[in-house]
Amino acid sequence: MAQPSTAMLGIKRSAEMAAVFMIGDGLLGLLQPERHVALWRSDVRAVDGLVRPFVGHPARRRLYGFLQIGAGLLLASRLHRRAD
């Protein structure tokens, strides 16, 4: 089998980093929803808009954290590099 191209390897590594971020962010949101949402509040409207639905709703943030962890694990499980 042929080795993946440098570009494809870069894409897979980027996807792995995204998966790690999703898992970590989800875990923080699951375990410390109020603190995590407060940390991401922002004067930048677009950024604040992402967390506004979770303000005052820790159960909603925990559910989203659980979904993030699942999506991150699924993404990571789909990434493979062929053995040399």
Side-chain angles (χ1 to χ4, degrees), residues 3-84:
Q3 289 292 330
S5 69
T6 302
M8 184 53 69
L9 187 56
I11 290 169
K12 287 183 177 186
R13 287 178 178 167
S14 296
E16 178 84 357
M17 287 174 25
V20 169
F21 177 82
M22 291 167 68
I23 294 165
D25 190 65
L27 188 58
L28 287 170
L30 188 66
L31 298 176
Q32 300 178 334
E34 294 95 347
R35 187 206 62 80
H36 191 60
V37 169
L39 178 66
W40 282 94
R41 294 301 310 258
S42 174
D43 292 334
V44 178
R45 210 179 259 197
V47 174
D48 199 55
L50 295 172
V51 295
R52 195 175 309 122
F54 303 111
V55 174
H57 300 282
R60 186 181 294 173
R61 182 58 185 101
R62 284 187 178 106
L63 175 61
Y64 184 68
F66 180 73
L67 294 173
Q68 278 184 294
I69 293 167
L73 290 172
L74 179 64
L75 176 59
S77 73
R78 309 290 289 164
L79 300 170
H80 301 283
R81 182 172 181 189
R82 302 230 183 259
D84 292 334

